[in-house]
């Protein structure tokens, strides 16, 4: 037999696939952006349905054809089976089913193309698995005419279950619904027996019914299961020539009971199942389902039942039900309607051609997402299921015979037809292209938008039509929202709402339009924002006049609009315009609110102050971060709410400069109210105490306020500042003047200031007017005891004079002699006593004074004797030193280099240590001060120069050189030989030095190794 693929290749376009049974791999042509209705007659637009003829000549007439999952099964001459895997078209398999007169009645191929069941005219049933080469007889099916099969999609679509069909529903010509399970013979029957495991009846539709109950269609699917659980709820559709039955129920997949689906049908033994009756004559009957997705867990979304009156078409909806809900009363059919068969046009060339009922000529149907294909003996018509209009008609030539069948490959989506001598394939290309327009005509706007999402022009038409529809119905707000999503003229739409006096709808339109603008479109955004502010203000004014309850809601909406973060930059750039609009409408509340949003706190504070709402002004001041506003508004705030203002200052801490707040403090203290100066003092005390402010102006002003309003605190303040003139933060001269002007109550403070100024005589003189003890504390100050005893004595004399002359207290004056610490003697204070005072008052003091003098004289004698003894000892040591000498032997060695001492010049010390001159020089020089090191080097160079020039000098010059050399040697001896290098200060200073020089440490360590 000639290859049908080779024949087909020569007849198709060079851009098509070389496999005629495989959908074209060409990339789809992109739709134009502004496509409207699809007109199949336009030459440059691809039709929805395109037919291609498969050119090959079969060995015999084709009687049956089934295709699933690209696996083709064809019956020729009623008894020869041809199987082709369309993905590998070179692999073809031809099997002779029977050699007798028996012929094939029907073919049943599962969705994966793995299981083929053939019903013979003799009511024998044979089975082919995917890999079987010979038919296997199903003995349990004997005597049953199989009319339909409901394959187990979930089971057979699992890769691990290709060897078995799982539980399958079978419909017979007598109305019986049966369950069976078939296994491939290769795996289970070694000697080739029956492969049907069981066949049990579940329900009979023909029981007690005389009409034809042959089951022409049978499908079952599970309810969606939760997570990865196995489904337990199923729905079943079964059709006869006149009825559509629904069965809904539960199964227990883990029970192991057979038959599995018996529990679904058991509830219907007590009452008939739900059905739809379409009475009519005989003819064909077929059930077709549409699956939007191709997975094994997918459920059908639409159904079409071919019956005598027409095609009963609708949606399949699976409701979400609880596990305890009864299911057998549920219906899964929704939005069902009857689509009449289109009239088959008579031959226009023969006006006498008889007219027949179109239902009697319909041979089959196929269902796609939006179209229903109806098969006649000589043509195929496509009906749009949305508007029931014929959108496609393909008339076949009688050259290849009448059309025998229409098949849809559910897994791949391709559609096939065949005659006894030809096979045709239909490609479906973008069948949803016109759907949006149909939904739009039916005013199903949401669905229309779903089918033109990728086409901005069509989407714009949908939005426009929807907006117009709502406008005509008076739903202006909804209309405005959809108008904003169109590309229509902004001005025309705005005028449309203005003329209709629909301000709220206009506002909704502008808001929606505003949300669609890009950040770069600042001009358009500014225009819309300004217009919206005007609209909001107009509405607020109108509602306020009417005392409407909606005013508060509108106010909240307006504030939310002003507070939108994405519009903040636009408002900042155009805030003057917004301010003018708010002022023009007299909307002060929103004026303040907007100013706060813009962080224009100066305007807010000014407004509150003008309205004498100082509390609100200080709150606004606290919310902002501009420090300069504190300096600007504090003077007036301190006049009216000083306490709150000071609290605000204190809360700012070091962020505020106290010096810049002095004008506000001065303005505050000028009033007659008592609390104002106290608040000023409180803030200045916070600055000097907590903030540790050292600014003289702050301290001087605080001191002036103390003097004027809180004099009792002046002395403590002066004392807290300390006595060091360089450390105090106030101006002492200014402070002294203020305190002197303050009178008697500030004399103690003056005394403290005199102490700071080290004017102790003035301090004591003034202290004596206040308290003698205060004067005594000044005279006993520690710094006076250490530095100036004469001044202390003078201060005590002032105190004594005051006590004697002013107080006339002779007894207390005598006590001062002891308190002064021996500074005062009786003879110092005698001149202060009056002439009439008797000596009895001084008897004890005079005796003590004489005793002190005697002790002092004795001490001086002892010191003189000790000095004389020391002088005699020194003279003896000098005489002994003159007679001291050092003996150097020929074997004596240098204490530093251990060389023979007499080999060159050396130094000897009384401690018996001796050193070469150069060795001692190297040892002592590093410990000399820098100045002495420089001087030693100069003298060494000069000495070398004198040694070199002595040989060429005359006699007089030689004498001068000798004298100079002696002077240099003597000075060098003073520098380096004043003490022994081992016994003198050099040894003591070098006690913390390392034995090894750190710079030479590595070399020394390496030499040891």
């Amino acid at each position: 037999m000639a290859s049908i693929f080779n024949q087909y290749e020569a007849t198709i376009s060079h851009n098509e696939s070389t496999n005629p049974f495989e959908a074209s791999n060409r990339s789809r042509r992109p739709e134009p952006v502004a496509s409207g209705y699809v007109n199949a007659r336009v030459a440059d637009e691809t039709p929805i349905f395109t037919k291609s003829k498969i050119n090959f000549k079969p060995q015999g007439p084709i009687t049956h054809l089934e295709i699933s999952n690209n696996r083709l099964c064809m019956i020729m001459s009623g008894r020869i089976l041809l199987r082709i895997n369309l993905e590998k078209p070179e692999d073809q398999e031809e099997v002779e089913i029977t050699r007798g007169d028996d012929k094939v009645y029907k073919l049943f191929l599962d969705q994966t193309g793995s299981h083929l069941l053939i019903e013979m005219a003799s009511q024998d049933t044979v089975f082919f698995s995917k890999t079987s080469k010979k038919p296997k007889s199903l003995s349990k099916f004997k005597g049953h005419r199989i009319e339909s099969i409901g394959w187990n999609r979930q089971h057979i679509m699992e890769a691990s279950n290709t060897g078995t069909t799982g539980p399958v529903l079978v419909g017979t010509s007598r109305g019986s619904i049966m369950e069976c399970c078939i296994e491939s013979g290769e795996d289970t029957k070694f000697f080739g027996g029956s492969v049907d495991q069981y066949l049990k009846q579940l329900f009979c539709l023909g029981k007690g019914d005389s009409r034809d109950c042959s089951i022409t269609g049978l499908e079952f699917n599970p309810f969606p299961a939760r997570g990865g659980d196995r489904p337990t709820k199923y729905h079943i559709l079964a059709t006869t020539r006149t009825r559509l039955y629904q069965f809904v129920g539960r199964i227990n997949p883990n029970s192991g009971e057979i038959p599995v689906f018996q529990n679904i049908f058991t509830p219907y033994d007590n009452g008939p199942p739900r059905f739809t009756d379409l009475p009519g004559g005989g003819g064909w009957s077929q059930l077709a389902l549409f699956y939007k997705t191709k997975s094994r867990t997918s459920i059908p979304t639409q159904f079409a039942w071919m019956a005598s009156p027409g095609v009963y078409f609708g949606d399949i909806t699976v409701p979400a039900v609880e596990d305890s809900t009864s299911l057998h009363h549920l219906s899964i059919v929704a939005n069902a309607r009857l689509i009449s068969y289109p009239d088959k046009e008579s031959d226009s060339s023969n006006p006498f051609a008889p007219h027949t009922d179109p239902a009697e000529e319909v041979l089959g149907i196929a269902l796609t997402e939006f179209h229903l294909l109806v098969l006649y003996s000589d043509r195929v018509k496509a009906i749009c299921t949305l508007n029931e209009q014929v959108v496609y008609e393909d008339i076949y030539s009688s050259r290849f015979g009448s059309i025998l069948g229409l098949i849809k490959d559910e897994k791949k989506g391709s559609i096939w037809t065949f005659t006894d001598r030809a096979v045709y394939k239909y490609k479906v290309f973008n069948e949803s292209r016109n759907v949006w327009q149909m939904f739009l005509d039916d005013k199903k706007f949401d669905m229309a938008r779903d089918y033109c999402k990728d086409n901005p022009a069509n989407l714009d038409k949908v939005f426009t039509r929807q907006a117009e529809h709502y406008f005509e119905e008076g739903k202006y707000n909804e209309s405005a929202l959809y108008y904003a999503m169109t590309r229509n003229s902004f001005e025309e739409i705005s005028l449309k709402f203005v003329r209709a006096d629909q301000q709220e709808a206009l506002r909704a339109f502008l808001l929606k339009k505003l949300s669609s603008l890009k950040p770069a479109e600042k001009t358009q955004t500014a225009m819309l924002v300004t217009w919206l502010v005007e609209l909001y203000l107009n509405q607020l004014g109108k509602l306020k006049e009417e005392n409407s309850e909606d005013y508060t809601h509108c106010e909240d909406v307006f504030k939310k609009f002003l507070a939108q973060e994405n519009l903040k930059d636009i408002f900042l750039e155009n805030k003057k315009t917004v301010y003018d609009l708010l002022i023009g409408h007299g909307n002060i509340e929103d004026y303040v609110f907007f100013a706060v949003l813009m962080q224009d706190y100066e305007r807010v504070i000014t407004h509150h102050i003008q309205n004498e709402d100082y509390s609100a002004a200080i709150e606004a001041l606290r919310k902002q971060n501009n420090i300069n506003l504190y300096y600007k508004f504090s003077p007036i705030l301190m006049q009216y709410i000083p306490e709150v203002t000071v609290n605000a200052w204190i809360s700012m801490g070091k962020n505020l400069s106290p010096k810049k707040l002095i004008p506000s403090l001065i303005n505050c203290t000028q009033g007659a109210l008592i609390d104002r100066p106290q608040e000023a003092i409180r803030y200045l005390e916070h600055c000097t105490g907590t903030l540790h402010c050292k600014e003289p102006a702050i301290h001087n002003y605080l001191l002036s306020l103390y003097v004027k309003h809180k004099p009792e605190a002046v002395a403590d303040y002066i004392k807290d500042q300390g006595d060091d003139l360089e450390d105090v933060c106030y101006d002492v001269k200014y402070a002294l003047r203020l305190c002197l002007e303050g009178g008697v109550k500030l004399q103690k403070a003056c005394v403290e200031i005199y102490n700071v100024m080290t004017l102790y005589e003035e301090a004591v003189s003034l202290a004596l007017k206040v308290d003698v003890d205060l004067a005594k504390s000044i005279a006993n100050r520690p710094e006076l005891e250490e530095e100036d005893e004469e001044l202390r004595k003078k201060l005590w004399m002032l105190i004594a004079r005051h006590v004697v002359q002013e107080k006339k207290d002779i007894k207390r004056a005598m006590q001062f002699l002891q308190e002064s610490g021996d500074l005062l003697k009786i003879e110092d204070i005698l001149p202060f006593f009056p002439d009439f005072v008797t000596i009895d008052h001084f008897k004890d003091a005079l005796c003590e004074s004489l005793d002190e003098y005697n002790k002092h004289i004795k001490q001086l004698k002892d010191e003189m004797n000790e000095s004389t003894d020391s002088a005699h000892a020194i003279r003896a040591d000098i005489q002994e030193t003159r007679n001291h000498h050092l003996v150097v032997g020929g074997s004596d060695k240098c204490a530093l280099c251990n060389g023979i001492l007499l080999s060159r010049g050396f130094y000897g010390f009384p401690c018996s240590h001796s050193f070469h001159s150069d060795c001692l020089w190297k040892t002592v020089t590093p410990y000399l001060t820098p100045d002495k090191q420089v001087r030693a080097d100069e003298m060494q160079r000069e000495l070398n120069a004198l040694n070199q020039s002595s040989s060429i000098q005359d006699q007089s010059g030689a004498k001068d050189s000798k004298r100079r050399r002696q002077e240099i040697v003597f000075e060098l001896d003073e520098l380096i030989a004043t003490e022994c290098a081992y016994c003198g200060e050099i040894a003591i200073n070098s006690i913390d030095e390392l034995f090894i020089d750190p710079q030479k440490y590595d070399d020394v360590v390496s030499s040891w190794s």
Side-chain angles (χ1 to χ4, degrees):
M1 185 179 72
S3 171
I4 58 177
F5 302 96
N6 294 333
Q7 297 176 34
Y8 179 72
E9 183 178 5
T11 61
I12 60 175
S13 170
H14 67 278
N15 289 327
E16 297 289 343
S17 172
T18 58
N19 182 358
F21 296 103
E22 188 175 275
S24 173
N25 291 326
R26 291 185 304 168
S27 60
R28 293 183 177 179
R29 181 186 306 171
E31 287 192 50
V33 173
S35 62
Y37 287 98
V38 175
N39 184 354
R41 291 172 295 181
V42 179
D44 60 347
E45 187 168 354
T46 305
I48 296 177
F49 299 99
T50 304
K51 181 181 73 173
S52 300
K53 179 178 177 296
I54 308 303
N55 293 326
F56 80 101
K57 187 176 181 180
Q59 292 181 348
I62 303 173
T63 58
H64 299 79
L65 180 69
E66 287 292 338
I67 299 177
S68 288
N69 197 25
N70 272 347
R71 297 183 182 275
L72 180 145
C73 295
M74 179 188 298
I75 302 296
M76 297 178 293
S77 302
R79 58 186 181 82
I80 298 176
L81 171 64
L82 176 64
R83 294 196 295 182
I84 304 174
N85 182 356
L86 300 182
E87 295 178 356
K88 297 180 180 179
E90 65 277 3
D91 295 337
Q92 302 180 21
E93 183 181 1
E94 194 173 296
V95 179
E96 186 175 7
I97 300 174
T98 179
R99 295 180 182 275
D101 297 333
D102 201 2
K103 293 185 179 298
V104 173
Y105 174 68
K106 275 191 176 183
L107 286 183
F108 303 99
L109 184 63
D110 77 323
Q111 289 85 353
T112 64
S114 301
H115 306 289
L116 174 65
L117 193 145
I118 303 176
E119 178 70 9
M120 308 300 293
S122 61
Q123 295 189 3
D124 288 337
T125 307
V126 297
F127 174 77
F128 283 87
S129 68
K130 183 177 180 181
T131 59
S132 62
K133 307 297 184 181
K134 295 181 181 181
K136 297 294 181 180
S137 176
L138 304 180
S139 59
K140 293 182 175 60
F141 282 69
K142 188 69 175 178
H144 297 286
R145 171 67 70 191
I146 308 302
E147 293 290 345
S148 58
I149 290 184
W151 295 103
N152 194 330
R153 285 173 50 88
Q154 186 184 22
H155 181 85
I156 62 180
M157 285 190 175
E158 294 180 359
S160 60
N161 293 330
T162 56
T164 177
T165 63
V168 174
L169 297 183
V170 178
T172 69
S173 59
R174 298 192 183 110
S176 295
I177 299 178
M178 311 181 78
E179 181 182 317
C180 73
C181 182
I182 306 173
E183 291 189 358
S184 60
E186 291 79 6
D187 297 333
T188 60
K189 302 294 181 179
F190 184 81
F191 295 103
S194 178
V195 294
D196 47 339
Q197 295 181 352
Y198 65 88
L199 179 67
K200 295 183 179 296
Q201 179 172 308
L202 303 175
F203 196 78
C204 183
L205 298 177
K207 186 176 181 181
D209 196 342
S210 60
R211 73 180 72 194
D212 182 7
C213 294
S214 177
I215 299 178
T216 59
L218 189 60
E219 296 282 351
F220 71 93
N221 284 280
F223 281 50
R226 297 178 181 176
D229 297 339
R230 296 182 65 183
T232 60
K233 297 185 283 290
Y234 281 80
H235 59 84
I236 301 172
L237 292 179
T239 60
T240 64
R241 297 187 188 279
T242 59
R243 287 185 177 181
L244 170 66
Y245 291 90
Q246 300 182 53
F247 301 90
V248 184
R250 291 183 178 84
I251 66 170
N252 186 357
N254 300 319
S255 65
E257 297 179 358
I258 295 175
V260 177
F261 293 99
Q262 183 63 63
N263 290 338
I264 296 178
F265 293 93
T266 300
Y268 297 104
D269 291 339
N270 301 324
R274 182 185 293 272
F275 65 88
T276 301
D277 194 358
L278 293 179
W284 294 90
S285 177
Q286 182 183 346
L287 178 63
L289 303 182
F290 173 74
Y291 295 84
K292 198 161 188 176
T293 59
K294 309 303 180 185
S295 66
R296 67 180 181 85
T297 58
S298 63
I299 59 175
T301 56
Q302 294 175 335
F303 75 95
W305 169 37
M306 185 181 76
S308 180
V311 178
Y312 191 62
F313 171 81
D315 298 328
I316 295 178
T317 58
V318 179
V321 294
E322 298 295 334
D323 293 339
S324 59
T325 305
S326 177
L327 301 178
H328 66 279
H329 294 301
L330 291 179
S331 174
I332 61 169
V333 174
N335 304 323
R337 64 186 187 276
L338 185 65
I339 300 177
S340 300
Y341 295 115
D343 292 337
K344 180 180 176 183
E345 298 179 2
S346 301
D347 190 352
S348 60
S349 62
N350 184 6
F352 302 102
H355 180 75
T356 59
D357 184 1
E360 297 179 356
E361 300 179 356
V362 176
L363 302 179
I365 60 173
L367 184 61
T368 66
E369 185 174 4
F370 299 107
H371 295 89
L372 176 67
L373 278 72
V374 181
L375 178 67
Y376 296 88
S377 60
D378 63 345
R379 67 191 66 200
V380 174
K381 290 188 177 184
I383 303 171
C384 179
T385 56
L386 299 176
N387 58 9
E388 301 182 13
Q389 299 295 318
V390 177
V391 297
Y392 176 78
E393 181 176 7
D394 185 18
I395 300 175
Y396 283 67
S397 171
S398 60
R399 175 183 174 186
F400 298 101
S402 300
I403 308 176
L404 300 179
L406 175 65
I407 307 100
K408 180 185 177 185
D409 187 343
E410 178 192 311
K411 193 77 180 291
K412 301 300 181 181
S414 57
I415 298 173
W416 304 75
T417 60
F418 69 96
T419 66
D420 58 349
R421 287 173 287 172
V423 178
Y424 302 89
K425 179 181 179 181
Y426 286 91
K427 289 193 302 181
V428 183
F429 178 73
N430 193 19
E431 66 170 323
S432 63
R433 66 181 70 172
N434 296 328
V435 170
W436 71 274
Q437 184 69 59
M438 298 174 191
F439 283 128
L440 183 62
D441 293 341
D442 291 340
K443 298 181 180 179
K444 297 179 180 179
F445 302 111
D446 294 340
M447 299 184 71
R449 288 199 303 272
D450 290 341
Y451 286 97
C452 61
K453 290 180 180 179
D454 300 331
N455 193 316
N458 292 343
L459 189 61
D460 188 71
K461 293 178 183 179
V462 175
F463 284 138
T464 302
R465 183 78 66 84
Q466 190 170 4
E468 292 172 351
H469 171 73
Y470 284 133
F471 193 91
E472 293 170 359
E473 290 188 348
K475 299 179 180 179
Y476 298 106
N477 288 342
E478 291 85 349
S479 176
L481 295 178
Y482 286 105
Y483 265 131
M485 291 186 283
T486 67
R487 299 180 181 179
N488 295 336
S489 171
F490 173 82
E491 294 80 2
E492 292 179 1
I493 299 173
S494 301
L495 288 173
K496 192 171 186 177
F497 287 109
V498 171
R499 290 166 183 162
D501 193 22
Q502 295 297 324
Q503 297 294 317
E504 186 176 354
L506 177 59
R507 190 173 71 244
F509 169 71
L510 296 178
L511 285 171
K512 187 68 175 178
K513 206 70 177 177
L514 180 63
S515 65
S516 64
L517 292 178
K518 299 178 181 178
E521 299 173 324
K522 292 186 177 181
T523 303
Q524 296 89 328
T525 304
M527 182 193 71
L528 292 179
V529 166
T530 306
W531 195 355
L532 283 166
V533 170
E534 178 70 23
L535 292 175
Y536 275 117
L537 292 175
N538 288 337
Q539 186 177 11
L540 287 171
K542 184 178 179 181
L543 293 174
K544 191 172 184 179
E545 291 177 0
E546 298 173 353
N547 292 324
S548 174
E549 297 179 354
D550 296 333
Y551 178 82
T552 303
H553 174 70
C554 185
E555 177 78 8
D556 293 339
V557 173
F558 181 44
K559 287 183 177 179
K560 289 180 180 178
F561 170 73
L562 294 177
Q564 287 188 31
E565 188 65 27
N566 59 326
L567 300 178
K568 186 175 182 179
D569 294 339
I570 299 298
F571 279 125
L572 284 173
E573 294 174 1
N574 301 273
K575 62 181 180 180
K576 185 179 183 305
T577 304
V578 178
Y579 283 138
D580 293 341
L581 288 173
L582 292 167
I583 293 297
H585 284 79
N587 195 326
I588 303 302
E589 180 181 354
D590 292 326
Y591 172 83
V592 175
F593 176 79
F594 180 73
V596 172
L597 289 177
M598 297 295 101
Q599 298 184 353
D600 195 353
Y601 290 102
E602 183 175 358
R603 189 183 295 267
V604 176
I605 298 170
T606 302
H607 166 77
H608 289 313
I609 290 177
Q610 290 175 351
N611 288 274
E612 299 183 356
D613 190 356
Y614 302 107
S615 298
I618 197 67
E619 287 300 321
L621 187 62
R622 281 183 164 185
K623 291 179 181 178
Q624 56 87 39
N625 298 320
N626 187 356
I627 301 301
N628 292 326
L629 294 185
Y630 278 91
Y631 306 138
K632 180 175 182 179
F633 293 104
S634 289
I636 189 169
L637 291 175
M638 282 293 289
Q639 291 184 12
Y640 294 97
I641 49 171
E643 182 180 359
V644 179
T645 305
V646 169
N647 290 338
W649 291 353
I650 292 175
S651 65
M652 291 297 293
K654 293 186 177 181
N655 294 324
L656 290 178
S657 172
K659 187 175 181 181
K660 294 183 179 180
L661 291 174
I662 290 179
S664 301
L665 296 170
I666 294 174
N667 196 29
C668 165
T669 56
Q670 287 177 349
L673 297 178
I674 300 177
D675 61 333
R676 292 180 183 175
Q678 296 302 323
E679 293 301 327
I681 291 173
R682 181 163 69 94
Y683 178 70
L684 292 174
E685 288 177 343
H686 171 75
C687 293
T688 58
T690 305
L691 301 182
H692 306 290
C693 178
K694 304 296 183 181
E695 187 64 41
I698 297 299
H699 287 266
N700 290 337
Y701 188 58
L702 175 60
L703 191 59
S704 68
L705 292 179
Y706 276 150
V707 170
K708 189 174 181 181
H709 301 285
K710 198 176 179 180
E712 67 277 5
V714 175
D716 292 337
Y717 169 78
I718 298 297
K719 186 177 294 184
D720 291 340
Q721 286 290 307
D723 297 334
D724 192 341
L725 184 61
E726 296 181 356
D727 292 341
V728 296
C729 300
Y730 58 89
D731 186 343
V732 291
K733 294 181 180 179
Y734 174 72
L736 181 61
R737 181 171 63 80
L738 288 176
C739 293
L740 291 175
E741 292 175 355
V744 177
K745 58 184 178 181
L746 293 178
Q747 285 182 344
K748 188 175 181 180
C750 292
V751 172
E752 297 293 340
I753 296 175
Y754 279 134
N755 283 335
V756 175
M757 299 174 70
T758 64
L759 301 176
Y760 299 112
E761 294 184 33
E762 290 81 355
V764 170
S765 298
L766 187 59
L768 291 174
K769 297 179 182 180
V770 179
D771 185 7
V772 175
D773 290 337
L774 177 62
K776 289 162 57 178
S777 66
I778 297 173
N780 282 328
R781 294 177 69 88
E783 59 267 24
L784 294 178
E785 293 181 3
E786 298 174 358
E787 298 177 1
D788 196 345
E789 185 173 343
E790 185 67 25
L791 177 60
R792 284 186 63 213
K793 184 175 181 179
K794 189 175 183 180
L795 296 178
W796 278 106
M797 293 285 288
L798 291 175
I799 298 172
R801 178 192 294 273
H802 173 78
V803 172
V804 174
Q805 294 181 351
E806 300 295 332
K807 300 294 183 180
K808 309 296 183 180
D809 192 344
I810 299 175
K811 185 177 181 179
R812 189 175 182 184
M814 293 298 100
Q815 294 177 354
F816 280 169
L817 295 178
Q818 297 177 353
E819 292 177 1
S820 64
D822 299 334
L823 286 175
L824 296 181
K825 304 298 180 182
I826 184 63
E827 60 270 23
D828 296 328
I829 63 173
L830 283 176
F832 303 148
F833 290 98
D835 297 337
F836 56 83
V837 176
T838 63
I839 196 171
D840 294 338
H841 295 93
F842 314 109
K843 181 179 180 179
D844 295 336
L846 288 173
C847 291
E848 290 180 1
S849 178
L850 291 174
D851 289 340
E852 290 293 329
Y853 280 127
N854 288 332
K855 291 179 180 179
H856 184 60
I857 290 171
K858 185 178 179 180
Q859 182 180 358
L860 290 176
K861 288 182 178 178
D862 293 339
E863 290 178 356
M864 291 174 62
N865 293 331
E866 184 178 354
S867 299
T868 302
D869 294 340
S870 297
H872 289 315
I874 292 172
R875 290 191 188 98
D877 290 340
I878 294 173
Q879 187 63 33
E880 184 180 358
T881 303
R882 288 177 179 174
N883 299 326
H884 186 77
H885 64 277
L886 179 66
V887 178
V888 178
S891 60
D892 288 352
K893 296 181 180 181
C894 175
L896 289 173
C897 68
N898 206 26
I900 298 300
L901 186 64
L902 297 177
S903 62
R904 55 184 182 273
F906 65 91
Y907 288 97
F909 292 93
C911 61
S912 74
H913 288 122
S914 300
F915 308 94
H916 287 138
S917 299
D918 55 342
C919 293
L920 185 63
W921 173 272
K922 294 178 182 179
T923 303
V924 174
T925 301
Y927 295 97
L928 297 177
T929 62
D931 294 340
K932 289 184 178 181
Q933 289 183 9
V934 173
R935 179 58 182 163
D937 291 339
E938 291 177 351
M939 288 187 294
Q940 186 67 35
R941 287 193 296 271
E942 185 177 357
L943 183 62
N944 294 335
L946 290 174
N947 293 333
Q948 293 176 0
S949 61
S950 59
S951 60
I952 59 174
Q953 292 178 342
D954 55 10
Q955 186 174 3
S956 61
K959 292 181 180 180
D960 294 337
S961 297
K962 183 177 181 181
R963 185 177 63 255
R964 177 58 183 161
R965 186 183 303 109
Q966 291 176 348
E967 292 176 354
I968 294 173
V969 169
F970 179 78
E971 189 174 356
L972 282 174
D973 290 343
E974 290 293 327
L975 285 176
I976 65 174
T978 55
E979 58 184 358
C980 175
Y982 283 170
C983 302
E985 291 184 1
I986 293 176
I988 297 174
N989 293 335
S990 63
I991 195 170
D992 59 345
E993 290 185 359
L994 299 176
F995 289 108
I996 302 174
D997 188 349
Q999 297 180 353
K1000 301 179 180 179
Y1001 180 81
D1002 294 337
D1003 296 337
V1004 174
V1005 172
S1006 62
S1007 66
W1008 291 347
S1009 61

